[in-house]
Amino acid sequence: MKRRFIDLLSQTYAWPQPGLDVSDHGTLKFHGVDLFDLAKEHGTPLRFHHIPSIERAVARANEWFRLAIEKHNYTGTYIPAFATKSSPFRFSLEETTKAGCQLETSSALDLDIVRRLLAHGLISKQTYVLCNGFKSDRYLQAILDLHAQGMTNLICIMDNEEEVHRLLSAEPKGLKVGFRIATEEDPSFEFYTSRLGMKSAKIMDLVAQLSSSDALLPKMIHFFINSGLRDTAYFWNEFIKATRIYTEASTLCSSIDMLNIGGGLPIKKTLDFDFDYAALIDQIVGQLKQTCNEFNAPQPSIVTEFGSFYVGESGGLLMKVLLQKSQNDRERWNMLDGSIMSNLPDAWAISQRFITLPTNGWFEGFERVSLGGMTCDGDDYYNDQGYIMLSSSSTTIDQEVHHLFMPSFSSMKESYVAFLHTGAYQETVGGYGGLQHCLLPQPKHVLVRETKGTIAVETFRDPTDPESTLSLLGF
């Protein structure tokens, strides 16, 4: 009996998985949505976001922190903020703020969005707005303007000493500020210290200077490392240093009562992903309490800035297999109707893996392939599904291989590929709505919503048309 694609996958991974299943006729279902039907109805390439997944992700993180705070009798509160840069679309902001998130911004335009959210009643003047990033003149002025308009919980997180002096020269009244720590980089990185933030000694000098200021009110210590929140020696070393900086700063200035631990909770990018979120968050809360008690400091409000964790697993990209090319005896290329490197730039730039599965053909045979994008660039390809346990024809021992397998190609049937959990950063890094490599059009973008168990799909953006592209080019 011919082995089927579903048999290959099931011998390697637990299947089905939360949010992923196969219909009785061999099509892939994502949170109940038949992706083969979605592709056929709306055309490809097709970008989509499953909106209910966003609010569910926020609720999961909130519950982990609630349980940890309760377990450790932690006296500080938990304040979740959404990193808008991960997905600055209105639907992402609506869902995260509705679920109780505050906002973390990184540019002047972010604050234009804040004004729109205020005008539409999606946030209030009591919402925390954490202004991170390097401050251009327009960004800094927007911060001052919103503060003057009564945004009482806007906090300007200082990246450097010059920003402090520029704010002081504007003479605001009681503008809340935070201080970003310049953390040490991972030992594998080419720099020793992050370019972002300030040395701890400089932070202490500024905290002491501002402790009696009427213009600026020190409120927060900010900590973040590029690798995110992980149970590694590097993370714990930097985290404990940051908590000690907080205890020292809060001793110098009693208004400092918040520790921002940044973002970076990992999301599921492969089918074998296994991460104990609750245990890590439990350790973070416990360690922070222990350090505060050791230095006789008040337990701060814990602030997070999750982006990918909230929106990453809500998104996906569908492409059609146009044809198969066999360039030699071993290599088969399934050529897609869109660009991988343009629409999933992390796959090309940082070799990021995404869950990659066929939308149909699960009960058919399979073959090893590479996926080729439509551009003329040699780097526009994808060929790693994660490890697969593949039975050898010459031995009874299964072998672990890192390849990509798809149902056997047939020109007589339509085939589509789904890249899943792509909902963070890919649009903005890839230049959403603008020019794409080889002038390929931006994919259509749809939103999947659920109302009382009924699934509804709405168009968010149509594909870019030739005239708009020609206009961008000056024609």
Side-chain angles (χ1 to χ4, degrees):
M1 180 178 176
K2 181 172 65 174
R3 291 179 66 218
R4 306 170 302 170
F5 179 82
I6 194 170
D7 300 326
L8 172 71
L9 206 72
S10 298
Q11 74 178 19
T12 303
Y13 307 109
W15 189 265
Q17 297 193 2
L20 293 171
D21 202 353
V22 175
S23 71
D24 292 340
H25 48 283
T27 56
L28 179 63
K29 301 184 78 173
F30 182 73
H31 296 285
V33 180
D34 191 309
L35 296 185
F36 180 68
D37 289 345
L38 189 69
K40 287 181 66 65
E41 179 180 352
H42 292 274
T44 54
L46 179 69
R47 193 183 297 279
F48 68 88
H49 277 81
H50 182 256
I51 301 303
S53 295
I54 300 174
E55 189 173 2
R56 292 169 193 167
V58 176
R60 289 167 65 204
N62 288 350
E63 179 67 3
W64 292 323
F65 274 96
R66 186 192 68 80
L67 291 172
I69 287 171
E70 184 178 278
K71 173 183 173 181
H72 293 282
N73 293 315
Y74 189 84
T75 58
T77 61
Y78 172 56
I79 301 174
F82 173 53
T84 60
K85 58 183 172 289
S86 64
S87 180
F89 298 102
R90 176 167 177 160
F91 59 81
S92 296
L93 290 157
E94 284 180 343
E95 293 302 308
T96 51
T97 54
K98 182 173 65 176
C101 284
Q102 314 302 301
L103 300 174
E104 184 253 349
T105 67
S106 51
S107 72
L109 192 61
D110 274 325
L111 296 188
D112 294 331
I113 292 174
V114 167
R115 291 190 184 92
R116 297 287 180 94
L117 295 173
L118 271 171
H120 288 89
L122 297 172
I123 62 172
S124 73
K125 289 187 176 182
Q126 287 71 51
T127 299
Y128 281 96
V129 178
L130 313 177
C131 301
N132 231 324
F134 197 86
K135 312 300 185 301
S136 65
D137 288 342
R138 190 168 98 82
Y139 192 12
L140 206 66
Q141 187 58 53
I143 290 169
L144 290 165
D145 291 344
L146 280 173
H147 169 70
Q149 292 163 17
M151 289 293 291
T152 56
N153 286 321
L154 183 145
I155 301 177
C156 182
I157 300 172
M158 315 311 299
D159 175 79
N160 54 74
E161 185 178 8
E162 183 186 349
E163 290 178 357
V164 177
H165 297 318
R166 288 160 65 199
L167 280 180
L168 285 171
S169 68
E171 299 182 345
K173 298 296 182 183
L175 172 61
K176 294 174 182 176
V177 294
F179 304 90
R180 180 165 183 160
I181 301 168
T183 56
E184 298 304 308
E185 295 285 12
D186 186 278
S188 62
F189 203 56
E190 60 181 310
F191 302 109
Y192 291 112
T193 307
S194 172
R195 76 182 192 280
L196 305 171
M198 294 177 277
K199 295 183 292 186
S200 58
K202 176 56 65 179
I203 290 174
M204 293 308 158
D205 288 344
L206 291 171
V207 168
Q209 292 173 30
L210 298 176
S211 60
S212 58
S213 171
D214 292 329
L216 304 180
L217 179 67
K219 194 70 178 169
M220 173 187 291
I221 297 297
H222 182 287
F223 151 82
F224 177 74
I225 57 175
N226 284 331
S227 57
L229 306 185
R230 303 289 193 279
D231 188 10
T232 63
Y234 167 56
F235 168 77
W236 289 116
N237 181 62
E238 293 302 306
F239 176 72
I240 291 171
K241 284 196 294 185
T243 60
R244 290 178 176 174
I245 291 170
Y246 159 76
T247 61
E248 185 178 349
S250 63
T251 301
L252 284 173
C253 182
S254 60
S255 61
I256 293 180
D257 59 1
M258 306 172 78
L259 177 65
N260 188 330
I261 62 174
L265 268 186
I267 68 170
K268 184 174 183 173
K269 294 293 182 68
T270 59
L271 293 175
D272 61 333
F273 176 80
D274 183 26
F275 190 87
D276 195 337
Y277 296 101
L280 177 64
I281 289 168
D282 179 79
Q283 292 178 66
I284 287 172
V285 174
Q287 180 62 60
L288 180 51
K289 179 177 179 178
Q290 178 182 323
T291 304
C292 289
N293 289 345
E294 180 182 349
F295 290 92
N296 196 31
Q299 295 167 31
S301 293
I302 302 170
V303 181
T304 58
E305 300 170 349
F306 297 144
S308 292
F309 182 78
Y310 291 156
V311 299
E313 294 186 9
S314 71
L317 180 70
L318 305 178
M319 295 191 194
K320 185 176 183 178
V321 180
L322 297 176
L323 58 85
Q324 186 176 90
K325 298 176 71 174
S326 298
Q327 302 296 75
N328 55 43
D329 293 340
R330 300 180 61 187
E331 296 173 342
R332 295 184 179 93
W333 285 92
N334 282 6
M335 303 302 296
L336 305 180
D337 64 349
S339 170
I340 298 165
M341 67 186 302
S342 293
N343 296 311
L344 299 175
D346 280 355
W348 161 69
I350 59 174
S351 300
Q352 177 66 64
R353 301 296 89 185
F354 296 99
I355 294 175
T356 308
L357 296 169
T359 67
N360 56 305
W362 281 67
F363 300 151
E364 301 172 10
F366 59 87
E367 59 187 350
R368 177 188 170 186
V369 300
S370 295
L371 302 176
M374 281 196 76
T375 74
C376 58
D377 198 297
D379 290 325
D380 196 0
Y381 72 93
Y382 191 93
N383 66 350
D384 189 350
Q385 206 161 27
Y387 82 89
I388 291 285
M389 297 304 297
L390 188 66
S391 297
S392 169
S393 59
S394 60
T395 177
T396 58
I397 301 174
D398 285 347
Q399 301 176 17
E400 180 182 313
V401 296
H402 284 260
H403 299 314
L404 190 142
F405 292 87
M406 287 283 151
S408 300
F409 176 79
S410 169
S411 59
M412 303 302 292
K413 63 179 179 63
E414 290 184 307
S415 300
Y416 299 89
V417 176
F419 298 90
L420 302 175
H421 295 185
T422 66
Y425 292 102
Q426 302 316 295
E427 297 90 355
T428 49
V429 175
Y432 186 90
L435 297 175
Q436 301 286 301
H437 190 29
C438 289
L439 301 184
L440 297 180
Q442 183 77 31
K444 183 178 181 179
H445 188 175
V446 299
L447 307 181
V448 181
R449 300 186 185 273
E450 294 177 9
T451 305
K452 296 181 180 180
T454 301
I455 294 172
V457 180
E458 64 185 64
T459 298
F460 183 72
R461 285 287 181 272
D462 285 317
T464 49
D465 61 85
E467 286 302 318
S468 64
T469 300
L470 288 168
S471 175
L472 284 173
L473 297 170
F475 293 100

PDB file of all heavy atoms in Angstrom, residues 133-159:
ATOM      1  N   GLY A 133      12.314  53.359  21.272  1.00  0.00           N
ATOM      2  CA  GLY A 133      13.027  53.682  20.043  1.00  0.00           C
ATOM      3  C   GLY A 133      13.767  55.005  20.094  1.00  0.00           C
ATOM      4  O   GLY A 133      13.614  55.802  21.016  1.00  0.00           O
ATOM      5  N   PHE A 134      14.575  55.220  19.085  1.00  0.00           N
ATOM      6  CA  PHE A 134      15.328  56.472  18.949  1.00  0.00           C
ATOM      7  C   PHE A 134      14.354  57.593  18.592  1.00  0.00           C
ATOM      8  O   PHE A 134      13.464  57.413  17.763  1.00  0.00           O
ATOM      9  CB  PHE A 134      16.385  56.313  17.850  1.00  0.00           C
ATOM     10  CG  PHE A 134      17.452  57.351  17.879  1.00  0.00           C
ATOM     11  CD1 PHE A 134      18.575  57.207  18.669  1.00  0.00           C
ATOM     12  CD2 PHE A 134      17.324  58.500  17.104  1.00  0.00           C
ATOM     13  CE1 PHE A 134      19.569  58.177  18.683  1.00  0.00           C
ATOM     14  CE2 PHE A 134      18.307  59.473  17.111  1.00  0.00           C
ATOM     15  CZ  PHE A 134      19.433  59.307  17.905  1.00  0.00           C
ATOM     16  N   LYS A 135      14.504  58.741  19.220  1.00  0.00           N
ATOM     17  CA  LYS A 135      13.501  59.802  19.078  1.00  0.00           C
ATOM     18  C   LYS A 135      13.924  60.852  18.048  1.00  0.00           C
ATOM     19  O   LYS A 135      14.804  61.673  18.297  1.00  0.00           O
ATOM     20  CB  LYS A 135      13.254  60.491  20.431  1.00  0.00           C
ATOM     21  CG  LYS A 135      13.025  59.564  21.614  1.00  0.00           C
ATOM     22  CD  LYS A 135      11.824  58.668  21.442  1.00  0.00           C
ATOM     23  CE  LYS A 135      11.551  57.845  22.687  1.00  0.00           C
ATOM     24  NZ  LYS A 135      12.674  56.973  23.097  1.00  0.00           N
ATOM     25  N   SER A 136      13.277  60.833  16.900  1.00  0.00           N
ATOM     26  CA  SER A 136      13.436  61.916  15.931  1.00  0.00           C
ATOM     27  C   SER A 136      12.759  63.159  16.495  1.00  0.00           C
ATOM     28  O   SER A 136      12.010  63.107  17.473  1.00  0.00           O
ATOM     29  CB  SER A 136      12.796  61.542  14.601  1.00  0.00           C
ATOM     30  OG  SER A 136      11.386  61.409  14.766  1.00  0.00           O
ATOM     31  N   ASP A 137      12.978  64.302  15.852  1.00  0.00           N
ATOM     32  CA  ASP A 137      12.330  65.536  16.313  1.00  0.00           C
ATOM     33  C   ASP A 137      10.812  65.405  16.269  1.00  0.00           C
ATOM     34  O   ASP A 137      10.110  65.831  17.194  1.00  0.00           O
ATOM     35  CB  ASP A 137      12.782  66.720  15.451  1.00  0.00           C
ATOM     36  CG  ASP A 137      14.225  67.130  15.730  1.00  0.00           C
ATOM     37  OD1 ASP A 137      14.761  66.741  16.790  1.00  0.00           O
ATOM     38  OD2 ASP A 137      14.811  67.843  14.882  1.00  0.00           O
ATOM     39  N   ARG A 138      10.288  64.820  15.198  1.00  0.00           N
ATOM     40  CA  ARG A 138       8.831  64.686  15.078  1.00  0.00           C
ATOM     41  C   ARG A 138       8.291  63.727  16.136  1.00  0.00           C
ATOM     42  O   ARG A 138       7.223  63.956  16.715  1.00  0.00           O
ATOM     43  CB  ARG A 138       8.437  64.209  13.678  1.00  0.00           C
ATOM     44  CG  ARG A 138       6.924  64.290  13.451  1.00  0.00           C
ATOM     45  CD  ARG A 138       6.556  64.095  11.994  1.00  0.00           C
ATOM     46  NE  ARG A 138       6.131  62.741  11.691  1.00  0.00           N
ATOM     47  CZ  ARG A 138       4.891  62.281  11.913  1.00  0.00           C
ATOM     48  NH1 ARG A 138       3.976  63.050  12.493  1.00  0.00           N
ATOM     49  NH2 ARG A 138       4.580  61.057  11.583  1.00  0.00           N
ATOM     50  N   TYR A 139       9.005  62.638  16.376  1.00  0.00           N
ATOM     51  CA  TYR A 139       8.587  61.663  17.386  1.00  0.00           C
ATOM     52  C   TYR A 139       8.557  62.323  18.767  1.00  0.00           C
ATOM     53  O   TYR A 139       7.574  62.197  19.514  1.00  0.00           O
ATOM     54  CB  TYR A 139       9.554  60.482  17.358  1.00  0.00           C
ATOM     55  CG  TYR A 139       9.137  59.249  18.136  1.00  0.00           C
ATOM     56  CD1 TYR A 139       7.849  59.074  18.638  1.00  0.00           C
ATOM     57  CD2 TYR A 139      10.054  58.220  18.342  1.00  0.00           C
ATOM     58  CE1 TYR A 139       7.490  57.926  19.331  1.00  0.00           C
ATOM     59  CE2 TYR A 139       9.704  57.067  19.036  1.00  0.00           C
ATOM     60  CZ  TYR A 139       8.431  56.928  19.537  1.00  0.00           C
ATOM     61  OH  TYR A 139       8.084  55.789  20.230  1.00  0.00           O
ATOM     62  N   LEU A 140       9.623  63.050  19.093  1.00  0.00           N
ATOM     63  CA  LEU A 140       9.690  63.690  20.404  1.00  0.00           C
ATOM     64  C   LEU A 140       8.592  64.745  20.564  1.00  0.00           C
ATOM     65  O   LEU A 140       7.967  64.859  21.628  1.00  0.00           O
ATOM     66  CB  LEU A 140      11.072  64.321  20.613  1.00  0.00           C
ATOM     67  CG  LEU A 140      11.520  64.468  22.070  1.00  0.00           C
ATOM     68  CD1 LEU A 140      11.724  63.111  22.714  1.00  0.00           C
ATOM     69  CD2 LEU A 140      12.815  65.272  22.145  1.00  0.00           C
ATOM     70  N   GLN A 141       8.337  65.494  19.507  1.00  0.00           N
ATOM     71  CA  GLN A 141       7.292  66.510  19.585  1.00  0.00           C
ATOM     72  C   GLN A 141       5.912  65.875  19.741  1.00  0.00           C
ATOM     73  O   GLN A 141       5.066  66.375  20.490  1.00  0.00           O
ATOM     74  CB  GLN A 141       7.316  67.399  18.336  1.00  0.00           C
ATOM     75  CG  GLN A 141       6.379  68.598  18.413  1.00  0.00           C
ATOM     76  CD  GLN A 141       6.681  69.498  19.604  1.00  0.00           C
ATOM     77  OE1 GLN A 141       7.819  69.941  19.792  1.00  0.00           O
ATOM     78  NE2 GLN A 141       5.667  69.769  20.425  1.00  0.00           N
ATOM     79  N   ALA A 142       5.707  64.753  19.068  1.00  0.00           N
ATOM     80  CA  ALA A 142       4.423  64.055  19.200  1.00  0.00           C
ATOM     81  C   ALA A 142       4.225  63.543  20.633  1.00  0.00           C
ATOM     82  O   ALA A 142       3.104  63.550  21.162  1.00  0.00           O
ATOM     83  CB  ALA A 142       4.357  62.898  18.214  1.00  0.00           C
ATOM     84  N   ILE A 143       5.302  63.104  21.258  1.00  0.00           N
ATOM     85  CA  ILE A 143       5.245  62.667  22.656  1.00  0.00           C
ATOM     86  C   ILE A 143       4.833  63.832  23.546  1.00  0.00           C
ATOM     87  O   ILE A 143       3.932  63.717  24.394  1.00  0.00           O
ATOM     88  CB  ILE A 143       6.602  62.096  23.089  1.00  0.00           C
ATOM     89  CG1 ILE A 143       6.870  60.755  22.392  1.00  0.00           C
ATOM     90  CG2 ILE A 143       6.688  61.938  24.609  1.00  0.00           C
ATOM     91  CD1 ILE A 143       8.290  60.232  22.556  1.00  0.00           C
ATOM     92  N   LEU A 144       5.473  64.970  23.344  1.00  0.00           N
ATOM     93  CA  LEU A 144       5.151  66.158  24.142  1.00  0.00           C
ATOM     94  C   LEU A 144       3.706  66.605  23.905  1.00  0.00           C
ATOM     95  O   LEU A 144       3.005  66.990  24.846  1.00  0.00           O
ATOM     96  CB  LEU A 144       6.121  67.287  23.796  1.00  0.00           C
ATOM     97  CG  LEU A 144       7.571  67.087  24.263  1.00  0.00           C
ATOM     98  CD1 LEU A 144       8.499  68.067  23.554  1.00  0.00           C
ATOM     99  CD2 LEU A 144       7.671  67.253  25.782  1.00  0.00           C
ATOM    100  N   ASP A 145       3.247  66.531  22.663  1.00  0.00           N
ATOM    101  CA  ASP A 145       1.887  66.963  22.347  1.00  0.00           C
ATOM    102  C   ASP A 145       0.842  66.067  23.017  1.00  0.00           C
ATOM    103  O   ASP A 145      -0.136  66.568  23.591  1.00  0.00           O
ATOM    104  CB  ASP A 145       1.674  66.974  20.832  1.00  0.00           C
ATOM    105  CG  ASP A 145       2.466  68.063  20.125  1.00  0.00           C
ATOM    106  OD1 ASP A 145       2.930  68.987  20.812  1.00  0.00           O
ATOM    107  OD2 ASP A 145       2.620  67.972  18.892  1.00  0.00           O
ATOM    108  N   LEU A 146       1.032  64.758  22.941  1.00  0.00           N
ATOM    109  CA  LEU A 146       0.073  63.849  23.551  1.00  0.00           C
ATOM    110  C   LEU A 146       0.063  64.000  25.071  1.00  0.00           C
ATOM    111  O   LEU A 146      -0.998  63.926  25.709  1.00  0.00           O
ATOM    112  CB  LEU A 146       0.382  62.405  23.162  1.00  0.00           C
ATOM    113  CG  LEU A 146      -0.099  61.962  21.774  1.00  0.00           C
ATOM    114  CD1 LEU A 146       0.410  60.574  21.452  1.00  0.00           C
ATOM    115  CD2 LEU A 146      -1.622  61.994  21.697  1.00  0.00           C
ATOM    116  N   HIS A 147       1.230  64.224  25.650  1.00  0.00           N
ATOM    117  CA  HIS A 147       1.300  64.460  27.095  1.00  0.00           C
ATOM    118  C   HIS A 147       0.515  65.725  27.457  1.00  0.00           C
ATOM    119  O   HIS A 147      -0.273  65.733  28.426  1.00  0.00           O
ATOM    120  CB  HIS A 147       2.757  64.587  27.537  1.00  0.00           C
ATOM    121  CG  HIS A 147       2.916  65.077  28.942  1.00  0.00           C
ATOM    122  ND1 HIS A 147       2.583  64.321  30.044  1.00  0.00           N
ATOM    123  CD2 HIS A 147       3.369  66.274  29.435  1.00  0.00           C
ATOM    124  CE1 HIS A 147       2.824  65.013  31.147  1.00  0.00           C
ATOM    125  NE2 HIS A 147       3.297  66.198  30.803  1.00  0.00           N
ATOM    126  N   ALA A 148       0.703  66.781  26.677  1.00  0.00           N
ATOM    127  CA  ALA A 148       0.002  68.038  26.944  1.00  0.00           C
ATOM    128  C   ALA A 148      -1.504  67.893  26.769  1.00  0.00           C
ATOM    129  O   ALA A 148      -2.285  68.619  27.394  1.00  0.00           O
ATOM    130  CB  ALA A 148       0.532  69.137  26.023  1.00  0.00           C
ATOM    131  N   GLN A 149      -1.918  66.926  25.927  1.00  0.00           N
ATOM    132  CA  GLN A 149      -3.344  66.706  25.684  1.00  0.00           C
ATOM    133  C   GLN A 149      -3.979  65.777  26.715  1.00  0.00           C
ATOM    134  O   GLN A 149      -5.157  65.438  26.607  1.00  0.00           O
ATOM    135  CB  GLN A 149      -3.543  66.138  24.275  1.00  0.00           C
ATOM    136  CG  GLN A 149      -3.197  67.132  23.174  1.00  0.00           C
ATOM    137  CD  GLN A 149      -3.002  66.467  21.822  1.00  0.00           C
ATOM    138  OE1 GLN A 149      -3.419  65.324  21.608  1.00  0.00           O
ATOM    139  NE2 GLN A 149      -2.353  67.172  20.903  1.00  0.00           N
ATOM    140  N   GLY A 150      -3.204  65.375  27.720  1.00  0.00           N
ATOM    141  CA  GLY A 150      -3.784  64.627  28.830  1.00  0.00           C
ATOM    142  C   GLY A 150      -3.602  63.131  28.807  1.00  0.00           C
ATOM    143  O   GLY A 150      -4.296  62.418  29.540  1.00  0.00           O
ATOM    144  N   MET A 151      -2.648  62.604  27.977  1.00  0.00           N
ATOM    145  CA  MET A 151      -2.333  61.174  28.031  1.00  0.00           C
ATOM    146  C   MET A 151      -1.499  60.932  29.287  1.00  0.00           C
ATOM    147  O   MET A 151      -0.266  60.998  29.276  1.00  0.00           O
ATOM    148  CB  MET A 151      -1.566  60.759  26.776  1.00  0.00           C
ATOM    149  CG  MET A 151      -2.381  60.743  25.511  1.00  0.00           C
ATOM    150  SD  MET A 151      -3.672  59.460  25.458  1.00  0.00           S
ATOM    151  CE  MET A 151      -2.725  57.956  25.361  1.00  0.00           C
ATOM    152  N   THR A 152      -2.181  60.622  30.371  1.00  0.00           N
ATOM    153  CA  THR A 152      -1.527  60.600  31.682  1.00  0.00           C
ATOM    154  C   THR A 152      -0.551  59.447  31.861  1.00  0.00           C
ATOM    155  O   THR A 152       0.343  59.516  32.709  1.00  0.00           O
ATOM    156  CB  THR A 152      -2.593  60.527  32.788  1.00  0.00           C
ATOM    157  OG1 THR A 152      -3.432  59.374  32.561  1.00  0.00           O
ATOM    158  CG2 THR A 152      -3.445  61.777  32.794  1.00  0.00           C
ATOM    159  N   ASN A 153      -0.724  58.374  31.088  1.00  0.00           N
ATOM    160  CA  ASN A 153       0.157  57.209  31.228  1.00  0.00           C
ATOM    161  C   ASN A 153       1.068  57.021  30.026  1.00  0.00           C
ATOM    162  O   ASN A 153       1.515  55.903  29.747  1.00  0.00           O
ATOM    163  CB  ASN A 153      -0.669  55.952  31.481  1.00  0.00           C
ATOM    164  CG  ASN A 153      -1.213  55.914  32.886  1.00  0.00           C
ATOM    165  OD1 ASN A 153      -0.529  56.296  33.840  1.00  0.00           O
ATOM    166  ND2 ASN A 153      -2.447  55.471  33.036  1.00  0.00           N
ATOM    167  N   LEU A 154       1.340  58.087  29.310  1.00  0.00           N
ATOM    168  CA  LEU A 154       2.356  58.036  28.266  1.00  0.00           C
ATOM    169  C   LEU A 154       3.728  58.068  28.938  1.00  0.00           C
ATOM    170  O   LEU A 154       3.992  58.925  29.775  1.00  0.00           O
ATOM    171  CB  LEU A 154       2.187  59.211  27.308  1.00  0.00           C
ATOM    172  CG  LEU A 154       3.141  59.257  26.109  1.00  0.00           C
ATOM    173  CD1 LEU A 154       2.426  59.831  24.892  1.00  0.00           C
ATOM    174  CD2 LEU A 154       4.379  60.078  26.395  1.00  0.00           C
ATOM    175  N   ILE A 155       4.589  57.123  28.584  1.00  0.00           N
ATOM    176  CA  ILE A 155       5.928  57.046  29.176  1.00  0.00           C
ATOM    177  C   ILE A 155       6.960  57.090  28.053  1.00  0.00           C
ATOM    178  O   ILE A 155       6.965  56.226  27.165  1.00  0.00           O
ATOM    179  CB  ILE A 155       6.108  55.765  30.001  1.00  0.00           C
ATOM    180  CG1 ILE A 155       5.064  55.706  31.126  1.00  0.00           C
ATOM    181  CG2 ILE A 155       7.519  55.689  30.588  1.00  0.00           C
ATOM    182  CD1 ILE A 155       5.124  54.434  31.963  1.00  0.00           C
ATOM    183  N   CYS A 156       7.802  58.087  28.081  1.00  0.00           N
ATOM    184  CA  CYS A 156       8.874  58.217  27.090  1.00  0.00           C
ATOM    185  C   CYS A 156      10.088  57.440  27.604  1.00  0.00           C
ATOM    186  O   CYS A 156      10.693  57.811  28.617  1.00  0.00           O
ATOM    187  CB  CYS A 156       9.224  59.687  26.885  1.00  0.00           C
ATOM    188  SG  CYS A 156      10.500  59.944  25.623  1.00  0.00           S
ATOM    189  N   ILE A 157      10.434  56.363  26.923  1.00  0.00           N
ATOM    190  CA  ILE A 157      11.559  55.525  27.337  1.00  0.00           C
ATOM    191  C   ILE A 157      12.830  56.058  26.683  1.00  0.00           C
ATOM    192  O   ILE A 157      12.971  56.032  25.457  1.00  0.00           O
ATOM    193  CB  ILE A 157      11.308  54.056  26.973  1.00  0.00           C
ATOM    194  CG1 ILE A 157      10.030  53.563  27.671  1.00  0.00           C
ATOM    195  CG2 ILE A 157      12.501  53.186  27.368  1.00  0.00           C
ATOM    196  CD1 ILE A 157       9.574  52.193  27.248  1.00  0.00           C
ATOM    197  N   MET A 158      13.740  56.534  27.525  1.00  0.00           N
ATOM    198  CA  MET A 158      14.911  57.241  27.028  1.00  0.00           C
ATOM    199  C   MET A 158      15.962  56.257  26.495  1.00  0.00           C
ATOM    200  O   MET A 158      16.363  55.328  27.180  1.00  0.00           O
ATOM    201  CB  MET A 158      15.525  58.099  28.135  1.00  0.00           C
ATOM    202  CG  MET A 158      14.507  58.914  28.946  1.00  0.00           C
ATOM    203  SD  MET A 158      13.336  59.846  27.939  1.00  0.00           S
ATOM    204  CE  MET A 158      14.412  60.918  27.039  1.00  0.00           C
ATOM    205  N   ASP A 159      16.404  56.531  25.268  1.00  0.00           N
ATOM    206  CA  ASP A 159      17.440  55.706  24.649  1.00  0.00           C
ATOM    207  C   ASP A 159      18.834  56.269  24.913  1.00  0.00           C
ATOM    208  O   ASP A 159      19.810  55.526  24.934  1.00  0.00           O
ATOM    209  CB  ASP A 159      17.200  55.630  23.134  1.00  0.00           C
ATOM    210  CG  ASP A 159      18.308  54.897  22.408  1.00  0.00           C
ATOM    211  OD1 ASP A 159      18.309  53.659  22.445  1.00  0.00           O
ATOM    212  OD2 ASP A 159      19.187  55.572  21.827  1.00  0.00           O
TER     213      ASP A 159
END
